[in-house]
Amino acid sequence: MLTAYDYPTAKILDEAGVDCLLVGDSLGMVVLGYENTTRVTVADILHHTKAVTRAAKRAFVVADMPYLSYHVSKEDAVRNAGLLIQEGLADAVKMEGGTAIFSTIQHIINANIPVVGHLGLLPQSVLREGGYFIKGKAEKEIKKMKEEALKLQEMGVIALTLESMIAEVAQEITESLDIPVIGIGAGKHTDGQVLVYHDIIGYYHGYIPQFVKQYANVAEIAEKAAKQYVEDVKNGVFPSEEHIFTNKKK
Ligand code: KIV
C-alpha cells in the first residue's frame, strides 16, 4: 500500500503493481502544506479520492476519514463515509482510533461501508498528545491496543493499519488477527506495508521519519529541471525551432 492523492500518481502506482492506494489525510502535510493533518476536510479528501479512483484500474482504494468527519455524530460520520464511497468511488474508508470510536465504526459498517481500522500512533490526535510518540512501550498501552485490535476485527473491519509501533507488539497483534494488518513504522512482521508516496520518492521537504526508505530524489530532479528551464528561457535557448508554430516551409 502507498498513499496517492492525484491522477498521474495513482496511474503510475496502479500500473506498478501497488495493491492498495490510500488517499491519506497526510495529503494535508505533503501536498497542501499544513503543519499536521487536523486541517484536512472531507471536501479535500473527496476531491483527491475522485482523482485517484479515476486512475485506479486494479488497486483497492481506501479514503481516509479526516479529523472531525466522524467525531460530531454517528449520522454525520455515515454521511461523510458515504460521500467518499458514493461520490469518491473509494472501496473503503479508514478511521483512526479504538474504544472511543467503536460505536461510530459499527454504525458505518452497519451501513455496509467497508472500514479499515487504524491503531498505534494516531496523527489526528497530535494536538491532544502534544507530539508524535512511538506506541507499544508501556504494558497498559500494549494490552489496550491488543484488545482494541481484536474488537475491531470482531466488529467487521476489513483490515487494520498499525502506525509507529514497537515491532514485537505489531507482530503479536498481527498474529492474533485473521484480517490483513498493514504497518507503517511497525516492523516487518505485519501482513503488508504502507508508506507515504512523497516520502519514498523524496518529494517532501518536511520531517521524514526513521522508518521511511527513500527510493528516489524527485525534488532534486524537479528543481534541476526548473532551473534549466529558467536558464533556457533567459538565454533564448527555449523555445527552439521544434517548439514553434510557423508558416515557413521546412
Ligand atoms: O494519511 C496517511 O498517510 C496515513 C498513513 C500514515 C497510514 O494514514
Side-chain angles (χ1 to χ4, degrees):
M1 182 191 251
L2 278 172
T3 62
Y5 318 99
D6 60 57
Y7 181 87
T9 303
K11 194 161 165 36
I12 290 168
L13 301 185
D14 190 62
E15 287 171 6
V18 178
D19 291 325
C20 189
L21 302 178
L22 170 65
V23 188
D25 59 358
S26 48
L27 161 81
M29 296 169 80
V30 300
V31 174
L32 303 179
Y34 295 137
E35 207 174 310
N36 58 57
T37 60
T38 62
R39 301 284 180 89
V40 178
T41 64
V42 175
D44 292 331
I45 295 286
L46 180 60
H47 181 70
H48 289 269
T49 301
K50 285 179 179 175
V52 168
T53 54
R54 267 177 225 130
K57 297 286 174 255
R58 41 160 297 281
F60 190 85
V61 178
V62 179
D64 246 347
M65 292 280 283
Y67 179 61
L68 287 189
S69 68
Y70 52 102
H71 307 86
V72 179
S73 73
K74 289 185 198 133
E75 291 74 19
D76 212 30
V78 173
R79 231 171 265 123
N80 288 328
L83 268 182
L84 299 178
I85 299 287
Q86 211 165 40
E87 288 187 27
L89 304 183
D91 297 303
V93 299
K94 179 167 79 59
M95 296 164 69
E96 290 182 13
T99 314
I101 59 162
F102 278 165
S103 62
T104 307
I105 291 180
Q106 193 64 72
H107 217 64
I108 292 177
I109 293 173
N110 290 350
N112 296 320
I113 295 173
V115 173
V116 174
H118 184 146
L119 296 175
L121 189 153
L122 309 176
Q124 291 174 16
S125 308
V126 62
L127 301 178
R128 182 170 47 82
E129 296 214 352
Y132 300 108
F133 305 102
I134 296 166
K135 302 294 173 175
K137 291 183 176 173
E139 276 313 316
K140 203 170 150 199
E141 183 181 73
I142 296 170
K143 184 171 177 287
K144 185 166 180 269
M145 287 192 299
K146 284 181 177 173
E147 286 170 3
E148 288 178 330
L150 283 169
K151 180 70 183 163
L152 284 169
Q153 172 172 273
E154 193 186 308
M155 286 166 53
V157 304
I158 59 163
L160 179 65
T161 306
L162 296 180
E163 178 162 357
S164 291
M165 190 179 290
I166 298 295
E168 292 79 3
V169 178
Q171 180 173 3
E172 281 175 40
I173 292 176
T174 303
E175 287 170 359
S176 73
L177 300 180
D178 299 319
I179 53 171
V181 176
I182 303 163
I184 174 163
K188 63 194 306 179
H189 294 290
T190 51
D191 301 306
Q193 295 288 330
V194 55
L195 284 174
V196 170
Y197 173 70
H198 288 56
D199 290 346
I200 73 157
I201 64 160
Y203 197 35
Y204 178 57
H205 289 291
Y207 169 73
I208 306 290
Q210 183 212 322
F211 56 74
V212 171
K213 180 170 177 183
Q214 196 180 314
Y215 289 83
N217 196 338
V218 168
E220 203 175 281
I221 296 168
E223 189 180 339
K224 202 168 149 208
K227 277 184 176 160
Q228 188 63 57
Y229 168 72
V230 170
E231 209 178 296
D232 283 0
V233 171
K234 285 187 175 165
N235 297 334
V237 173
F238 177 83
S240 59
E241 284 313 309
E242 79 235 63
H243 307 115
I244 296 171
F245 302 117
T246 175
N247 285 328
K248 274 192 245 158
K249 295 255 184 302
K250 283 200 178 158

